[in-house]
Amino acid sequence: MSWQTYVDEHLMCDIDGQGQHLAAAAIVGHDGSVWAKSASFPEYKPDEMTGIMKDFESPGHLAPTGLHLAGTKYMVIQGEPGAVIRGKKGSGGITIKKTGQAVIFGIYEEPVTPGQCNMVVERLGDYLVDQGL
């Protein structure tokens, strides 16, 4: 299966059969190279990816300044240190799951809930971890 198929069919899928889906999603290598992304995924800056990777290594790194992606600032909320970073901005937010070789991004806006975004992103992340990826 191609990385783009994972994005299209697993991240940008219909959630709970209600016609809702994430606003944007991507799978990015630890080095910041994009493996696959939705058409709506924003163009981010290399230093933003560096900050995200640093937070996985040193949980709490982003908390004082917030998480930035493509110039959008998200307030960092509870995640799983070293594995999941979650951010909130208004009625939307972001979930980022780290696997052995990649980082999976899901960005959501209402009516999608934080829990739905977490479930979609983390389910694929856990699967990839189980596959050694």
Side-chain angles (χ1 to χ4, degrees):
M1 188 180 307
S2 77
W3 292 112
Q4 192 61 50
T5 304
Y6 281 115
V7 170
D8 296 342
E9 296 182 5
H10 295 276
L11 294 174
M12 298 301 289
C13 62
D14 184 356
I15 300 170
D16 298 337
Q18 298 174 4
Q20 301 170 4
H21 54 82
L22 299 180
I27 302 173
V28 178
H30 286 183
D31 62 358
S33 62
V34 176
W35 293 5
K37 65 185 181 90
S38 65
S40 53
F41 193 77
E43 206 57 49
Y44 59 85
K45 300 178 189 82
D47 61 325
E48 293 172 331
M49 190 64 193
T50 302
I52 290 167
M53 292 309 294
K54 183 156 179 54
D55 196 81
F56 281 121
E57 294 160 22
S58 307
H61 169 73
L62 292 174
T65 58
L67 182 157
H68 293 81
L69 189 70
T72 300
K73 180 179 177 180
Y74 296 89
M75 179 178 70
V76 178
I77 54 176
Q78 97 319 349
E80 295 170 34
V84 179
I85 300 170
R86 298 186 183 109
K88 186 99 176 98
K89 178 177 173 45
S91 60
I94 188 167
T95 302
I96 308 170
K97 167 81 176 177
K98 182 177 182 234
T99 71
Q101 298 175 23
V103 183
I104 301 167
F105 289 83
I107 299 173
Y108 68 92
E109 292 169 1
E110 281 188 327
V112 174
T113 66
Q116 288 172 315
C117 182
N118 296 343
M119 180 192 68
V120 169
V121 171
E122 294 174 36
R123 184 173 54 200
L124 178 59
D126 290 342
Y127 170 79
L128 294 176
V129 167
D130 289 347
Q131 300 302 307
L133 301 168

